[in-house]
Amino acid sequence: MTERNKVTVTTLFQQIENNEPISWLTCYDYPTAYFQEQAGIDMILVGDSLGMTMLGYDSTLPVTMDDMVRHTQAVSRGAPTVFLVGDMPYMSYQPSVETAIINAGRLMAEATCDAVKLEGGAEMADRIEGIANAGIPAFGHLGLTPQSVSALGGFRVQGRGALQAKKIIDDAKILENAGAISILLEMVPDRVCKIITERAENCIIMSLGSGPHAHGQLLIYHDMFGLYHKFKPKMAKVFGNAGEVILNGLTQYHKEVHDQTFPQRKHWFIMKDDEYEELLELLD
Ligand code: KIV
């Protein structure tokens, strides 16, 4: 395990004070969390994108609170010092402020999150405020918000036009004033992200495909390692093709079992001759 101290809200604000960008990745399981911990990643998002990347749904909408708690617990065991953000799934906060606080509390208490994230602008400010007032660090999420993908007309850049950009900028300030400690901007133009970052007073602005001017960057783990075959977003740099490595290994395994070159002597366990003789006698 790495030696570093737990990353906290204070550490993160200190980092932006020192102009040190924050690294943030999605993660959904224990072994990947372990690697992210070893790599010194600052923050992890257990995103409801797990519905697509881990569970094979076509959207994030079917993901439940129980799914989120289960995966977040596993990540928390693998990455004890990373700042852990739990994503609030569809309909876990939309119905009311009370629902939002109760479900945010579950992510904190049962899954040992350090913060929770929810999607939406001004219309969700009272949820952010309620969660923050309950003592839970809250992250907002603006721009492309996958839980509203149907209303947004698909996975596309948000805020290209001046009016829509102004709304995103206004929403960011409203969420900050409601108590959001951080806001993720997903797929908004870099200039819009820059304005929001410059105007943020006490809020960490994070970018996913929104350019370099935010306080830090988020990537979807499965995109950065070629692990999701259904689509490859422009914003995702592939840092290594693990998907290709795994597929080659699986194909080779299948071949070796079929042509009987696997297993080899070193891959199995033997019984001594005398025990074997005794066994044969016992079986007679
Ligand atoms: O669920 C998730 O991983 C997210 C990202 C798309 C930002 O919310």
Side-chain angles (χ1 to χ4, degrees):
M1 281 287 180
T2 45
E3 297 286 312
R4 76 168 170 190
N5 293 327
K6 171 80 185 169
V7 178
T8 63
V9 172
T10 313
T11 325
L12 295 171
F13 276 102
Q14 193 61 58
Q15 244 178 277
I16 64 170
E17 194 67 33
N18 299 341
N19 284 322
E20 286 172 40
I22 294 167
S23 61
W24 194 16
L25 283 179
T26 63
C27 183
Y28 320 99
D29 61 74
Y30 173 82
T32 310
Y34 176 79
F35 285 133
Q36 294 197 16
E37 170 87 26
Q38 297 305 305
I41 300 300
D42 299 310
M43 298 203 293
I44 280 177
L45 171 67
V46 184
D48 63 352
S49 51
L50 69 82
M52 299 168 81
T53 55
M54 302 297 285
L55 304 178
Y57 296 123
D58 285 332
S59 79
T60 59
L61 304 194
V63 175
T64 65
M65 273 302 296
D66 286 346
D67 292 331
M68 293 309 303
V69 167
R70 185 80 161 174
H71 283 268
T72 310
Q73 286 169 335
V75 170
S76 150
R77 288 190 283 268
T81 73
V82 181
F83 189 86
L84 186 58
V85 185
D87 214 4
M88 300 202 57
Y90 187 56
M91 287 301 145
S92 69
Y93 58 95
Q94 287 92 341
S96 66
V97 175
E98 192 186 1
T99 317
I101 297 170
I102 289 169
N103 285 318
R106 266 196 81 187
L107 284 175
M108 298 299 283
E110 294 177 40
T112 64
C113 283
D114 300 306
V116 302
K117 173 174 88 57
L118 56 89
E119 299 179 7
E123 70 288 358
M124 289 297 151
D126 58 352
R127 279 38 163 210
I128 293 276
E129 189 175 7
I131 291 170
N133 285 343
I136 300 172
F139 280 45
H141 180 168
L142 296 172
L144 175 67
T145 45
Q147 290 175 18
S148 314
V149 71
S150 180
L152 296 175
F155 290 91
R156 54 171 64 156
V157 179
Q158 301 294 311
R160 273 201 163 125
L163 278 180
Q164 203 193 20
K166 167 87 166 53
K167 162 103 175 75
I168 296 172
I169 293 166
D170 290 346
D171 277 351
K173 196 38 91 181
I174 290 167
L175 293 185
E176 177 175 353
N177 289 340
I181 64 154
S182 178
I183 296 170
L184 170 66
L185 300 177
E186 178 170 354
M187 284 176 74
V188 307
D190 60 338
R191 287 173 158 172
V192 178
C193 178
K194 185 165 188 280
I195 293 171
I196 293 173
T197 308
E198 284 168 356
R199 292 183 177 194
E201 287 156 294
N202 202 21
C203 190
I204 302 166
I205 306 301
M206 299 297 296
S207 157
L208 172 56
S210 303
H213 306 296
H215 297 122
Q217 298 292 324
L218 170 68
L219 274 184
I220 307 285
Y221 176 81
H222 281 58
D223 294 337
M224 67 186 288
F225 288 111
L227 292 169
Y228 190 68
H229 65 280
K230 286 192 183 166
F231 61 80
K232 296 178 181 38
K234 167 180 153 77
M235 62 209 180
K237 174 174 171 184
V238 178
F239 282 78
N241 203 334
E244 195 174 288
V245 172
I246 291 169
L247 181 58
N248 287 342
L250 293 170
T251 310
Q252 182 68 15
Y253 167 71
H254 177 71
K255 178 179 168 301
E256 289 189 18
V257 171
H258 275 222
D259 66 19
Q260 295 183 308
T261 52
F262 177 84
Q264 290 162 5
R265 172 62 198 88
K266 62 184 173 190
H267 299 124
W268 67 71
F269 307 92
I270 59 160
M271 182 184 232
K272 287 196 175 136
D273 290 346
D274 53 345
E275 295 291 341
Y276 183 58
E277 299 303 334
E278 191 180 330
L279 172 65
L280 290 183
E281 272 169 34
L282 287 172
L283 293 177
D284 280 343

